[in-house]
């Protein structure tokens, strides 16, 4: 058994339909592919119609599953409502929503324009709220259960310089996740989040570690488990949290980061740099 293998029983998602925002690229695409392998019908949406159309065709070929691609800017409520309508028209009903779409870039905060904050927070927080509201209202009106899974990251609670708009957006999404877990539990709606550490994707790497940065600050080096994440291990966790196997879990945020955020927060984590000889010397001093 390996972390790069699928984990759930074949057919776990048979008869279920899952919507993934930003599902045509990166982590959204990988999680979608695994859900298809497990028998789900998939709806992928993002702003770039050509990207989701291409991914939908590839995913159907790779898995033999059914994929509907609907263009949608999650900052536009009418477009969000349209995705839900189209999903139901094609597949009959929607069972789960994976709020994965995001926007991000690195910059010292004092160099940002006010619009730069708006652009990121509008995608990450307002967009996620719109998708959640539209899907939730629809499930509640139809007395249908449903599951939300929101992709945040660990700086949603630690904060982080240089990505402040994204921090504000993701912190809001985490608040939304926990709030609705309680408020909408009575409707049979669950709401959970995943906080990934670094998982290589073109979208994230090009914006967060452009140029030489990726060589200068190798993300694997600051992770206790000494590697970045593999898409399949994230897909395994996402599939579990969207599936009925996790029926009693709601309001939870599961971190999958190889120990990164705790290491960064640990007062004495820097002692990792001490060589064994130094520890020998310290032991002698103690005795
Ligand atoms: C400073 C920037 C900027 C940058 C844009 N802006 N990029 N400011 N540094 N690198 C400012 C612009 O100056 C402008 O403000 C405003 O933001 C809007 O810029 P546009 O280019 O017009 O925006 P748009 O074309 O809509 O693109 C949105 C985007 C883009 C967010 C900037 O990157 C995008 O489309 N991203 C989607 C995918 C993505 O980001 N994926 C990565 C997710 S990774 P002014 O005032 O000049 O008009 C992730 C990982 C988290 O979230 C955790 C990792 C561990
Ligand atoms: P990505 O490939 O760039 O994914 C972002 C997706 O969001 C794109 O498909 C993009 O498609 C879509 N999107 C952006 N703005 C949108 C809008 N207004 N409406 C609809 N869709 C929009 O990057 P990724 O690395 O896979 O990131 C996926 C998620 O994981 C994000 O939530 C990110 O914050 C989170 N995350 C990633 C990492 C990592 O290391 N990769 C770590 C922690 C968390 P369009 O451009 O076509 O709209």
């Amino acid at each position: 058994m390996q972390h790069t293998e699928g984990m759930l029983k074949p057919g776990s998602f048979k008869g279920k339909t899952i919507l993934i925002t930003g599902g045509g690229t990166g982590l959204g695409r990988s999680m979608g592919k695994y859900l298809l392998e497990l028998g789900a019908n998939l709806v992928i949406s993002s702003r770039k119609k050509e990207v989701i159309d291409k991914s939908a065709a590839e995913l159907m070929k790779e898995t033999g599953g059914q994929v509907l691609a609907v263009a949608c800017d999650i900052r536009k409520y009418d477009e969000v409502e349209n995705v839900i309508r189209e999903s139901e028209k094609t597949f009959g009903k929607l069972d789960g929503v994976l709020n994965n779409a995001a926007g991000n870039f690195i910059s010292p905060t004092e160099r940002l324009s006010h619009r730069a904050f708006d652009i990121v927070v509008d995608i990450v927080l307002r967009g996620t709220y719109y998708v959640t509201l539209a899907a939730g209202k629809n499930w509640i009106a139809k007395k249908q259960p449903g599951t939300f899974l929101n992709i945040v990251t660990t700086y949603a609670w630690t904060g982080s310089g240089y990505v402040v708009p994204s921090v504000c957006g993701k912190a809001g999404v985490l608040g939304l996740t926990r709030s609705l877990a309680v408020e909408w539990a009575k409707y049979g709606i669950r709401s959970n989040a995943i906080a990934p550490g670094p998982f290589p994707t073109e979208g994230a790497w090009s914006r967060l570690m452009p140029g030489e940065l990726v060589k200068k600050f190798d993300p694997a080096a600051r992770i206790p488990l000494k590697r970045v994440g593999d898409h399949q291990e994230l897909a395994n966790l996402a599939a579990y949290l969207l599936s009925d196997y996790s029926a009693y879990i709601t309001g939870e945020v599961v971190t999958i980061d190889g120990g990164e955020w705790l290491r960064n927060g640990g007062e004495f984590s820097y002692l990792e740099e001490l060589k064994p000889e130094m520890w020998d010397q310290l032991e002698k001093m103690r005795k």
Side-chain angles (χ1 to χ4, degrees):
M1 190 214 307
Q2 290 184 2
H3 66 272
T4 50
E5 288 170 16
M7 183 181 87
L8 263 66
K9 281 187 209 148
S12 300
F13 277 80
K14 202 161 184 307
K16 303 269 187 200
T17 302
I18 307 294
L19 163 64
I20 305 185
T21 64
T25 65
L27 302 181
R29 190 189 188 288
S30 298
M31 292 185 281
K33 183 176 179 203
Y34 186 46
L35 294 172
L36 283 165
E37 287 166 2
L38 293 170
N41 299 315
L42 192 67
V43 183
I44 57 175
S45 73
S46 83
R47 295 166 298 180
K48 299 187 192 102
K49 177 79 172 131
E50 66 287 1
V51 172
I52 49 174
D53 279 346
K54 185 167 176 282
S55 290
E58 289 167 357
L59 287 168
M60 285 194 275
K61 203 168 161 206
E62 287 164 24
T63 66
Q66 287 303 305
V67 186
L68 174 70
V70 188
C72 164
D73 183 333
I74 55 171
R75 296 167 293 186
K76 298 181 179 152
Y77 195 73
D78 56 334
E79 293 187 16
V80 170
E81 286 187 308
N82 180 54
V83 175
I84 292 166
R85 248 190 331 267
E86 290 298 315
S87 306
E88 292 186 332
K89 211 190 286 172
T90 304
F91 295 120
K93 66 177 176 30
L94 196 58
D95 300 282
V97 172
L98 210 176
N99 279 309
N100 164 80
N104 203 355
F105 42 71
I106 48 167
S107 173
T109 306
E110 69 277 15
R111 288 180 181 233
L112 291 176
S113 71
H114 68 279
R115 259 180 46 79
F117 179 89
D118 295 346
I119 207 88
V120 171
V121 172
D122 275 358
I123 302 171
V124 176
L125 181 55
R126 187 199 298 263
T128 302
Y129 174 76
Y130 280 3
V131 176
T132 304
L133 186 69
K137 276 175 184 273
N138 185 50
W139 284 331
I140 292 164
K142 292 183 171 146
K143 299 192 176 0
Q144 200 188 303
T147 306
F148 290 110
L149 181 59
N150 301 329
I151 305 299
V152 296
T153 190
T154 54
Y155 58 59
W157 59 89
T158 63
S160 173
Y162 306 98
V163 282
V164 163
S166 174
V167 169
C168 297
K170 295 290 192 186
V173 173
L174 184 56
L176 179 72
T177 307
R178 289 178 168 148
S179 303
L180 292 181
V182 174
E183 190 181 335
W184 285 355
K186 59 181 173 286
Y187 301 120
I189 295 173
R190 293 190 298 122
S191 170
N192 289 299
I194 294 178
F199 282 71
T201 65
E202 167 61 27
W205 257 228
S206 64
R207 292 176 176 91
L208 304 179
M209 282 176 280
E212 293 292 296
L213 286 193
V214 71
K215 278 188 225 143
K216 204 167 154 57
F217 303 107
D218 174 16
R222 58 170 192 271
I223 295 173
L225 290 176
K226 295 294 172 220
R227 66 172 177 87
V228 291
D230 181 89
H231 286 207
Q232 183 61 51
E233 56 197 340
L234 177 67
N236 283 338
L237 178 59
Y240 169 67
L241 289 172
L242 282 165
S243 79
D244 293 339
Y245 291 119
S246 61
Y248 203 49
I249 298 181
T250 196
E252 188 53 81
V253 53
V254 182
T255 299
I256 178 164
D257 74 342
E260 184 191 38
W261 86 269
L262 280 171
R263 188 242 186 212
N264 290 344
E267 178 72 34
F268 290 96
S269 295
Y270 66 89
L271 290 177
E272 211 171 276
E273 286 169 27
L274 254 60
K275 301 271 181 297
E277 305 81 65
M278 187 66 180
W279 283 115
D280 291 342
Q281 272 184 30
L282 289 171
E283 202 172 319
K284 273 192 203 132
M285 280 162 62
R286 181 163 56 84
K287 289 173 182 163

